[in-house]
Amino acid sequence: MRQKLSAMNYIRNNKRRVAVLIVSLALFLILVYLTRFILSSSTESFRLILVEDTKKVQHVRLPDSAFGIDAEALGEAAGAAYAEAEDRLMEELGKQEGVEEVYRVQCMGVTIYAMVGQYHFEFPLGDEKMLTTYMEHMGATLAEGRMPQAPGELILAEGVMKNAGLKLGQKLADEAYQIVGIADSDSYFGSGIKVPERDYSEMLCILTDGSVTDMTKLLRDMGYEFAESDAWIFDHKKGCEEYEQVWSEVETPTTLVFRGVTVVMAVMLLLVYTTTLRDRHAEWCLYCSIGYGRKDIYLSILREMLFCFGIAVGTGTLFTAIGMVVIDKTLISPMGLACNYLDFSVIGVIVCGYAVVFTLLQIPIRYAMYKICTVDVMEDELH
């Protein structure tokens, strides 16, 4: 009984050629995945701010018109009328399903700088009671320093401190604010005690249980009418919209890298493989002469390819994992950024890339199969 052609014989006797194929395939996985991993420091960091945090806290400042206040007609009394109307709104909001607490706060902004892009987000400043409740609600705890007690004192998450290059005790904004505590938080937490004389930045901070996603709709259902352009509302819906913009900006360079690497790898492998197949023509003709069919030879080639693809995936995965750890420890974490180690979307992209290359390599293989003939036919062609 004729034995099945062994793929390992060729692999053992042609280690250099096989190594070139394996390295090429492994580099594709490494380059594509590490590119997306580095860019994930932008998407993951901004996702925490725009998607995750907005499930728990939302900020609102309505225009005078939402309360039926004519500022020009009331003159100096308009401010008191607005505060009274806002107090009623706070009381009504506190009774809504999904709303846990409502505070009148000041907001201070911090810019997070990522590998691609930056985002300026705002965190609330209130009194000590608000600060304690807010920290508990956001899952933040004091890690270093002390809790803010006096107006202008701040506590910021370690990630914010690293990203902005801040230090404990440092003063900000014309020395009106000072960092007195560092928080341990999974997100870019920030809060503190508000400064009374800076009440121009006041708005409502609404702590929710995650079920409130569209604050504009909720307010309108409560009977408050206003043009969205006149109000300042930052809720989960708005956060998700801005995150989609961030994702689209990051997705473009990733797609370009994937396509570029795929094209280069495909061209290189086609050239290398075509040369290899040409050199093996005599070998396959000999197999054909001793009784092996084209199907047997083709299946042997497929086993060789699957072996190379398998080793390449394993090697590429190992070096990618090592590369992610090194990049995270030396570049991403020191910048106070988050990252995503397991990205199923890019895994799908890589699988598609391998499928494209595998399919393209069938072209020279099929042509080589067509050219196979027995040794006696080869001799007749020579003469």
Side-chain angles (χ1 to χ4, degrees):
M1 182 177 180
R2 188 176 68 239
Q3 294 182 342
K4 182 171 65 175
L5 283 174
S6 173
M8 295 306 298
N9 288 334
Y10 174 79
I11 293 171
R12 280 193 296 266
N13 296 326
N14 296 270
K15 295 183 178 65
R16 182 175 298 178
R17 286 180 174 177
V18 172
V20 170
L21 180 60
I22 291 175
V23 170
S24 301
L25 292 169
L27 280 176
F28 170 71
L29 188 154
I30 295 169
L31 289 174
V32 172
Y33 202 95
L34 287 185
T35 298
R36 176 61 70 87
F37 176 73
I38 292 172
L39 293 175
S40 77
S41 64
S42 299
T43 55
E44 280 300 297
S45 299
F46 297 153
R47 186 184 65 84
L48 294 176
I49 300 170
L50 298 171
V51 179
E52 297 303 322
D53 286 356
T54 54
K55 295 177 182 177
K56 303 176 183 179
V57 58
Q58 293 153 55
H59 295 97
V60 171
R61 181 170 179 82
L62 295 182
D64 295 338
S65 59
F67 301 117
I69 297 174
D70 188 339
E72 293 184 2
L74 291 177
E76 295 181 358
Y82 185 93
E84 183 179 345
E86 196 173 56
D87 286 339
R88 290 196 297 270
L89 172 61
M90 292 172 65
E91 185 178 350
E92 293 173 16
L93 276 172
K95 298 176 182 178
Q96 301 301 311
E97 185 177 355
V99 176
E100 298 181 352
E101 298 286 346
V102 183
Y103 295 99
R104 183 182 285 113
V105 300
Q106 293 174 355
C107 280
M108 184 176 180
V110 172
T111 300
I112 298 298
Y113 297 92
M115 299 293 182
V116 177
Q118 61 189 50
Y119 188 80
H120 185 83
F121 80 101
E122 296 187 328
F123 56 85
L125 307 178
D127 55 22
E128 289 188 59
K129 179 183 177 182
M130 175 269 168
L131 174 60
T132 302
T133 304
Y134 183 63
M135 286 189 66
E136 182 179 348
H137 182 74
M138 300 300 290
T141 57
L142 179 66
E144 187 177 349
R146 62 175 177 82
M147 291 290 291
Q149 299 172 346
E153 292 186 340
L154 307 174
I155 178 171
L156 301 176
E158 185 178 9
V160 178
M161 301 284 286
K162 287 181 177 180
N163 190 266
L166 301 173
K167 297 180 180 179
L168 189 65
Q170 186 171 342
K171 293 187 176 182
L172 308 172
D174 300 327
E175 300 191 348
Y177 300 94
Q178 184 179 23
I179 303 169
V180 299
I182 300 177
D184 181 13
S185 173
D186 293 332
S187 187
Y188 295 98
F189 175 85
S191 191
I193 307 300
K194 63 182 179 181
V195 180
E197 57 269 22
R198 299 201 172 198
D199 58 356
Y200 57 84
S201 62
E202 283 194 344
M203 61 183 63
L204 298 185
C205 175
I206 305 165
L207 307 184
T208 60
D209 62 4
S211 63
V212 180
T213 59
D214 190 343
M215 189 58 61
T216 299
K217 182 179 183 301
L218 175 62
L219 290 168
R220 286 178 174 165
D221 290 344
M222 292 169 59
Y224 292 91
E225 294 297 330
F226 52 90
E228 290 189 35
S229 58
D230 295 334
W232 197 94
I233 297 177
F234 198 85
D235 55 11
H236 183 64
K237 179 182 178 183
K238 178 67 174 177
C240 290
E241 289 174 355
E242 294 201 7
Y243 178 71
E244 287 299 322
Q245 295 177 4
V246 172
W247 176 258
S248 63
E249 292 176 0
V250 171
E251 188 177 28
T252 299
T254 305
T255 302
L256 291 175
V257 169
F258 163 67
R259 290 176 179 174
V261 173
T262 303
V263 170
V264 171
M265 182 185 69
V267 171
M268 181 176 66
L269 289 179
L270 282 172
L271 293 174
V272 172
Y273 218 71
T274 300
T275 303
T276 301
L277 295 177
R278 189 184 303 117
D279 294 342
R280 299 183 66 184
H281 178 70
E283 171 194 347
W284 293 331
C285 289
L286 178 61
Y287 285 142
C288 185
S289 299
I290 61 177
Y292 288 101
R294 286 185 173 86
K295 181 179 178 181
D296 298 318
I297 299 171
Y298 177 69
L299 291 177
S300 174
I301 297 172
L302 286 186
R303 287 193 291 271
E304 295 170 9
M305 290 182 64
L306 290 175
F307 174 85
C308 293
F309 273 81
I311 297 297
V313 170
T315 305
T317 301
L318 175 61
F319 281 96
T320 297
I322 295 172
M324 286 191 293
V325 173
V326 172
I327 291 172
D328 186 17
K329 298 301 181 184
T330 61
L331 182 62
I332 296 176
S333 290
M335 291 181 64
L337 298 173
C339 55
N340 182 13
Y341 274 80
L342 187 59
D343 190 336
F344 289 104
S345 64
V346 74
I347 292 175
V349 166
I350 291 171
V351 170
C352 289
Y354 278 139
V356 169
V357 172
F358 188 87
T359 302
L360 289 175
L361 290 178
Q362 301 306 305
I363 298 174
I365 292 175
R366 290 291 184 178
Y367 181 74
M369 294 298 99
Y370 172 76
K371 298 286 288 184
I372 291 178
C373 57
T374 57
V375 174
D376 56 333
V377 174
M378 290 177 64
E379 292 177 347
D380 291 340
E381 289 178 351
L382 291 174
H383 296 289

